[in-house]
Amino acid sequence: MPRSAGGTTIDGGRPVASGRSTSPLERVTVNLTGRASKALERAVELTGDSKTDSINRALSVYAYIEQVLSEGGSIMVSETPDSPPQKLLIF
């Protein structure tokens, strides 16, 4: 993946992993914080997806969460199979 000074160039060479995107690709340069960079690396390790695919999926999930929250809904998550669902908090 190409790098640029002060950030990561996200080169959309493939469609989104979910296969739902039919729009043309757009190249974007982002500057990731250390925390975001570590989260990206972790997502890549967990999924085996490329950085581009991981970022595309993350943005889709984020947009979905924001839509649900803006419409007054909430999202529940369980951190383990035995733990009770808790409301997802975005910070």
Side-chain angles (χ1 to χ4, degrees):
M1 175 185 310
R3 302 277 293 167
S4 66
T8 301
T9 300
I10 302 162
D11 186 3
R14 303 189 283 164
V16 177
S18 67
R20 291 181 230 158
S21 176
T22 58
S23 61
L25 299 175
E26 178 181 349
R27 175 173 274 178
V28 178
T29 300
V30 297
N31 296 313
L32 300 177
T33 63
R35 180 176 169 185
S37 181
K38 288 177 185 175
L40 176 58
E41 289 298 329
R42 183 70 177 138
V44 167
E45 288 172 13
L46 289 169
T47 64
D49 290 340
S50 68
K51 288 182 178 182
T52 296
D53 288 342
S54 294
I55 291 168
N56 282 322
R57 289 185 70 193
L59 291 171
S60 295
V61 169
Y62 180 66
Y64 170 74
I65 290 169
E66 286 297 329
Q67 178 182 348
V68 168
L69 297 177
S70 72
E71 294 172 357
S74 61
I75 297 174
M76 307 297 284
V77 296
S78 297
E79 291 187 12
T80 67
D82 299 328
S83 65
Q86 296 181 349
K87 189 174 182 179
L88 179 67
L89 300 176
I90 303 293
F91 48 92

